[in-house]
Each structure stands twice: as C-alpha cells, then as structure tokens.
Amino acid sequence: MSAPTFLEPWQLRAAFARSLSDMYGKEVPAYTTLLDVSHDVNADFVTQHGADAERLGSIARVTAERHGAIRVGTPTEMAQVARIFGAMGMRPVGFYDLRDASSSSVPVISTAFRPIERDELARNPFRVFTSMLVTADRRFFTADLEQRLESFLGARALFGPDLLALADRAEAEGGLPEDQAAEFLLLATEAFELSREPVDQAWYRELEAVSAVAADIGGIASTHINHLTPRVLDIDDLYARMEARGITMIDAIQGPPRWEGPDVLLRQTSFRALAEPRTFRTADGEIISDSLRVRFGEVEARGIALTRTGRAAYDAAVIEIDEAAAAARAADPGFTEAQRQQLARAVWQKTFPTTEAALADQGLGWFTYELAAEPGGAPFVRREPVVYEDFLPRSAAGIFQSNLTSDGAKDASQEGTDRDADWMAGALGRELNDPFDLYADQVARSLAGAAETLGVDPATLTTPNRTTGAPR
Ligand code: OOG
Ligand code: NI
C-alpha cells in the first residue's frame, strides 16, 4: 500500500503513536522488553480464548493501543498541548485532581486527550494523560517559590511556532498533506524527547525538596513523555512474566482485583523509572554527570466502562478495601499484599455481579446494542460491553507515587487552591468532555440505530428477558 498523500487526523494520530513508540523504544530499553512480553501475553490469550478474547477490542486495536503521559507547567502550555493533540483528533476528556488523591506531594491536576467517537477509537485509541502544576497551591509552594516558578515557566517555550502552526492548520483543514504531515510528526515527537541540556542543579533540587513531580515539570526547560503504556489482555500473566525476567514491578496491580466476574474499568501496574545519565550545572557553573529517574514503564488491562452508579459502587468498594486493609495492617504488621488482594476480592464479590448480563441489568456497566443475525435466521439484538477509555484518579496517584524519588513536603495546614473541570476547560480554551456523557451517548446511539432497523421502540431493547429482539 502506498503512503497516503493527505493524512487525516486519525492517520496523524496513529503515525504519532508509532513514532513516539519508536523513539521511546530506542531510549528506554525496558520499554521494548515490556512490548515483547505484552505481545506474548496477548498472543497466548487469544490462542486460549478464541473470539471471546476480542470482546473488549479487536486484537489489531489492542496491539497498537498505547497511552502516554506528559506533564506541563502552565495554562498556556496546556492550551498548546490541546492544539497539538487536536490536530490528531484527540479531545480533552475528564478532570482529575491528584493533589488530594495522593498521600505524597503531587501538586497537579490533569485531563486526558483521546478520540471520543466510536469509529475514531476503533481506528486508533491513542490517549495521553496530561497533567499541569498548580503553582498557586500554598500547601506545596510558598508565594516566593510560586513567583520564581512562574517566571521560569513563563520564559520557556515547550513547543516551537512551526509545530503549533502545523497543528492549527491540521485542525482547521482536517489533516495535512504528506510533506507537512511528516514535518509535524517529526517536530511533535522531538517535543516529547528527553532533553540533553544540562539541568540547573540548585533549582532542580530546591523544587525536588517540595515535590519530585514539581522538579520534573518546572526544573527543566522542556517536557518529555514519562511513560508509554501498552495494553494487555491478562495483566496478572504479564506481571508474573516480567518478574520472571528479573524486572522488578511495583508491589501491586492498581485498580480492581483479579476475580471471577467481568473485568471493569482499568487495572494497571508499572516498573520503576530507571536511573538515566544526565548532566547538571552546579552553582559555580561546573558541568557534572549524575542521573535522574524520570521515565518508567507501565502496562494496563481495560475492562467494561461503568455507569455513574457503577462508578459510585467502585469508589465505595475502594474505600472499604482501604479501611479494612489499614485495620488488618494495624492488627498484624506482617499483613501481605496477597492478603490485601484476598480482602479486595471479598469486597468485590459483594459489590459486583459475576456476569455481564447482571452488570447491564443492574445498570452498573455500559453496553451497546448491536444487530446480529445467525445465517438464515431473523435479526436479533446482541449486547456488547463498552470498553473503559479513561483513567482512574486513585490509580494515577499510585503511578505517580511509585515513581517519586522522595515524598516531598506538603503543608496540610494551608488552604488548597480550588480547581475544577470548568477551570480546566478555561485553561484549555476548549470544551472539556465528561466521560460519562460520552459513554451514555454511545449507548443511546447504538440503541436508536438498532431500534430503527427493527422498527421497535428503543426502550424494549434494554428490557431483559424479552423474546423479540432480546439482548443475549
Ligand atoms: C501520569 C500518571 C497517570 C495513568 O495511567 O494513570 C497515568 C504521570 O505520571 O504523569 O498515566
Ligand atoms: Ni499511565
């Protein structure tokens, strides 16, 4: 197949995901190991489970699927990121406040850029979790540090004018001709490479004492992708295989426990950032070699998206598990991660049903309604799970924390600065999509489509146990 002469947003997105993955693989060898192991896990899972393995995404989609994470400093930088990803058909979805979700010092709020239409997700679901500093938050930054940080951030340019101009053109014109597309992809990939510039040692260390995340964002004049995450169909298998290869993973898989019922939301795990050589400029102007741990590896398994009711049940279950684990740990200091998982499974068993049908009937999970027909038979409606396309604040905080070089310092006696989804939309200069609305819309459209073809009322399709058009 010859290369297209005009690249549409989804083609730019797919090409960018590949380009970033190639760059990351060259620079972070453990990432390549993770990709190899992920491929093996997915191939074995498909062999064992046949067509069922693809219930939550075709193997082609899952194999290409990645999410990345970046961190920026200011609303201006956030709005520029929105333009670059906008060129690739990626829209901001969801608001995450990690300041309170973390016990250590993580002074950021976040959103995720991703495709929002179903066919766009099927073409390439690349997403980027994007965080920005809240420099005004006095629990982390004094007025003096805020002011110096703001002037440092105000003086830097993460993205050059050529990259931004190409991004704007792509968004306005629905893509780019191939030569401009190549330039855009090159500049965009470069913008997320690790800088080789010497790091101002005193400045970096001052910020690091407050928060390793603040130093990573505001201690240097560029940004970088800090992980790129492949998707696997069996994360417990992946975890075991990575450990068998001698790569130390974090203690736990974040998110729901492994259990006998349907997988929901997102399960993630990671390996710790490796020390990478970097040069520093000392206070007397000397250049020295040292290292920083800022790029790590993560892998994830995606499950069924939950409705607001389902999500509330999830959030309550997480709190219940935490409290029970804390009590068990207080009673027995030898309480293990395996015991915590056992406890989590017990909470899960009383919170969630063990079948997809019950998850749908109890209004806990999202399902679309697809027309199908057996050869020669009448058409019927089949219920299909909607895959969760977003992130979890609690897991994200866990991912941040597992990679901090120190806990930093947080002055809990100070008042936090209010930030919410509206504030984020203002910073982005764009509409911020609500993930629940997107799932609801996808379901409503599938229902309307199926009902129209069958010539029935959509409400009859969601009622369980009907003979005509009954979901299976
Ligand atoms: C982002 C951490 C969040 C996830 O998968 O939850 C994240 C970061 O470390 O910048 O990527
Ligand atoms: Ni991640």
Side-chain angles (χ1 to χ4, degrees), residues 67 69 227 229 268 298 391 399:
H67 87 247
H227 64 275
T229 300
Q268 302 179 307
E298 183 195 47
F391 294 87
I399 299 295

Side-chain angles (χ1 to χ4, degrees), residues 20 32 59 76 83 109 114 145 278 305 321 330 347 472:
L20 212 54
T32 309
I59 191 68
T76 307
R83 287 155 69 190
I109 54 175
R114 67 165 176 87
L145 187 54
R278 294 285 279 275
I321 294 165
V347 172
R472 297 222 174 160

Side-chain angles (χ1 to χ4, degrees), residues 101 253-257 264-266 306 310-326 329 340 343-348 350-352 392-398:
I253 295 172
Q254 315 265 345
V264 298
L265 301 173
L266 181 64
L306 295 185
R311 177 55 184 267
Y314 170 83
D315 289 337
V318 167
I319 292 171
E320 189 175 341
I321 294 165
D322 278 357
E323 288 175 354
R329 216 172 281 120
R340 194 193 65 82
L343 195 156
R345 252 189 304 278
V347 172
W348 230 253
K350 61 179 187 128
T351 307
F352 290 105
L392 294 170
R394 167 59 191 253
S395 303

Side-chain angles (χ1 to χ4, degrees), residues 278-294:
R278 294 285 279 275
T279 56
F280 285 79
R281 183 179 294 103
T282 66
D284 0 303
E286 203 189 331
I287 302 291
I288 59 161
S289 304
D290 199 345
S291 66
L292 285 179
R293 293 175 182 270
V294 294

Side-chain angles (χ1 to χ4, degrees), residues 372-381 454 472:
E374 248 121 52
F380 63 92
V381 172
L454 292 175
R472 297 222 174 160

